[in-house]
């Protein structure tokens, strides 16, 4: 844990032990091996060459030990599945659909660990993690859930008050976006230019569209909240906005959805997927994602 976080303080919080206990264990291990595993700086740790060499083998060993103990003891909570998920995806996509899971599996409780922090599956915690990325996570098995796109939207009343039919019209509105680079206005504008270039059609972005002046939020649900109150135009994720667009509370603008290289995946250690509760949840989740993608094409 300390080697992954490079912080004794953070490792102590994760493991619910004191920092002194972790420091002592590190010293004992270094003394036993006769090598230095960490280079100590004033407020940070750095793996030594020997520490970096040892870490991959330790990960494999601990993972194997955890799997063996779990198979021996069984699942301590067979009727509760804990899912690590971002607050944005949980509030705008997952939670509104959970009622259908409870109808199908009334004896299984779903516990959501809502955090943008990367789930490490160390110790007792989540059974699954829904992640937005490339699907390649060391030590984890990943299952594709659905594609993701971004496009601009505004509140329906805002659209009625202001005509936003061309890129030039963005000059006179307030722009909102997620601070994540792949969800930004710059990413969408680059994608739309590339799209028209492939069709041998030129498109220019007005210089007056000052992307540096956009209002950025650390969380896609905050971006949507900003336009739901009619404050401006926002760049949003399709998975979070599609149903509101279909219902008419949000209006999709300018007719182009930019596909993202990052997609939605469900991840966990391989042996977690053998748990009955996880199998049931995965069957339900993939069905919901498939129906969503069919009903709400970008």
């Amino acid at each position: 844990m300390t080697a992954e976080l490079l912080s004794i303080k953070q490792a102590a919080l994760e493991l619910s032990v004191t920092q002194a206990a972790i420091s002592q264990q590190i010293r004992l291990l270094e003394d036993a091996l006769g090598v230095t595993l960490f280079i100590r700086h004033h407020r940070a740790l750095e793996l030594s060459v020997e520490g970096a060499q040892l870490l991959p083998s330790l990960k494999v060993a601990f993972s194997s030990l955890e799997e063996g103990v779990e198979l021996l003891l069984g699942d301590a909570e067979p009727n509760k599945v804990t899912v690590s998920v971002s607050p944005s995806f949980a509030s705008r996509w997952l939670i509104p659909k959970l009622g259908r899971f409870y109808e199908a599996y009334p004896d299984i409780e779903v516990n959501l660990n809502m955090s943008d922090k990367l789930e490490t599956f160390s110790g007792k915690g989540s059974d699954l993690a829904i992640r937005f990325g490339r699907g390649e996570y060391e030590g984890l098995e990943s299952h594709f859930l659905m594609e993701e796109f971004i496009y601009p939207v505004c509140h329906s009343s805002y659209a009625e008050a202001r005509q936003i039919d061309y890129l030039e019209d963005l000059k006179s509105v307030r722009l909102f976006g997620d601070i994540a680079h792949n969800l930004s206005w710059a990413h969408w504008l680059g994608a739309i230019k590339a799209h028209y270039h492939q069709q041998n059609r030129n498109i220019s972005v007005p210089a007056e569209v000052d992307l540096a002046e956009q209002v950025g939020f650390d969380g896609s649900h905050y971006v949507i909240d900003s336009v739901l109150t009619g404050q401006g135009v926002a760049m949003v994720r399709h998975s979070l906005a599609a149903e509101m667009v279909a219902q008419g509370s949000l209006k999709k603008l300018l007719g182009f959805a930019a596909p993202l290289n990052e997609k939605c995946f469900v991840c966990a250690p391989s042996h977690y997927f053998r748990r009955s509760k996880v199998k049931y949840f995965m069957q339900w989740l993939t069905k919901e994602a498939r129906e969503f993608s069919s009903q709400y094409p970008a």
Side-chain angles (χ1 to χ4, degrees):
M1 180 66 71
T2 306
E4 291 178 333
L5 298 174
L6 293 178
S7 167
I8 290 177
K9 180 180 179 180
Q10 291 300 320
L13 291 173
E14 288 285 339
L15 298 173
S16 299
V17 298
T18 65
Q19 296 181 49
I22 289 181
S23 296
Q24 182 181 16
Q25 290 301 315
I26 291 175
R27 285 195 297 270
L28 290 173
L29 182 58
E30 288 179 329
D31 290 343
L33 296 175
V35 298
T36 297
L37 299 175
F38 292 93
I39 300 171
R40 280 80 168 171
H41 300 291
H42 178 53
R43 289 188 175 181
L45 289 179
E46 178 185 353
L47 279 174
S48 67
V49 173
E50 293 81 3
Q53 183 179 356
L54 180 61
L55 181 59
S57 297
L58 286 179
K59 284 184 176 180
V60 172
F62 280 119
S63 177
S64 179
L65 178 61
E66 181 182 357
E67 181 176 352
V69 171
E70 186 172 313
L71 290 174
L72 176 65
L73 299 178
D75 186 358
E77 296 181 306
N79 296 320
K80 181 171 79 172
V81 58
T82 300
V83 182
S84 172
V85 60
S86 71
S88 298
F89 194 79
S91 63
R92 296 295 181 186
W93 195 92
L94 183 58
I95 291 175
K97 299 172 177 57
L98 279 178
R100 291 194 286 270
F101 177 81
Y102 293 131
E103 288 178 2
Y105 304 99
D107 296 329
I108 299 178
E109 173 188 349
V110 179
N111 180 52
L112 299 183
N113 178 14
M114 290 185 283
S115 172
D116 288 317
K117 184 179 179 181
L118 199 64
E119 174 61 62
T120 63
F121 293 96
S122 58
K124 293 182 178 179
S126 299
D127 297 294
L128 292 170
I130 300 175
R131 290 183 177 173
F132 175 58
R134 301 296 181 95
E136 298 175 353
Y137 306 106
E138 184 180 357
L140 300 181
E141 180 178 327
S142 296
H143 292 263
F144 170 75
L145 190 60
M146 61 185 175
E147 303 280 349
E148 186 62 285
F149 304 82
I150 58 172
Y151 46 74
V153 300
C154 67
H155 192 272
S156 55
S157 62
Y158 193 88
E160 292 175 3
R162 299 169 179 261
Q163 285 192 326
I164 306 172
D165 300 317
Y166 303 98
L167 286 175
E168 288 81 1
D169 297 328
L170 296 175
K171 294 185 297 185
S172 60
V173 300
R174 181 178 290 108
L175 304 180
F176 295 89
D178 196 305
I179 62 173
H181 70 91
N182 54 348
L183 303 177
S184 67
W185 279 92
H187 181 90
W188 181 82
L189 288 168
I192 195 172
K193 289 176 67 176
H195 172 74
Y196 280 99
H197 179 71
Q198 289 176 352
Q199 298 180 347
N200 294 319
R201 298 165 60 189
N202 292 323
I203 184 171
S204 61
V205 178
E208 294 86 348
V209 179
D210 190 352
L211 297 179
E213 293 298 321
Q214 69 175 301
V215 180
F217 291 99
D218 187 8
S220 296
H221 50 307
Y222 301 127
V223 179
I224 291 179
D225 287 343
S226 69
V227 289
L228 281 174
T229 53
Q231 298 179 40
V233 177
M235 188 60 58
V236 298
R237 287 171 56 183
H238 176 65
S239 62
L240 309 185
E243 294 179 57
M244 285 178 281
V245 170
Q247 293 162 2
S249 56
L250 292 180
K251 180 176 177 59
K252 183 178 177 182
L253 303 172
L254 303 175
F256 178 76
L260 300 181
N261 292 326
E262 293 79 6
K263 311 176 192 304
C264 289
F265 290 89
V266 187
C267 314
S270 295
H271 62 285
Y272 282 28
F273 288 100
R274 296 199 292 269
R275 297 171 175 173
S276 295
K277 64 184 184 183
V278 170
K279 290 180 181 179
Y280 296 143
F281 189 80
M282 282 294 297
Q283 290 171 3
W284 170 82
L285 186 64
T286 53
K287 178 176 180 291
E288 287 287 338
R290 186 168 58 250
E291 291 179 354
F292 172 85
S293 299
S294 176
Q295 185 175 358
Y296 304 105

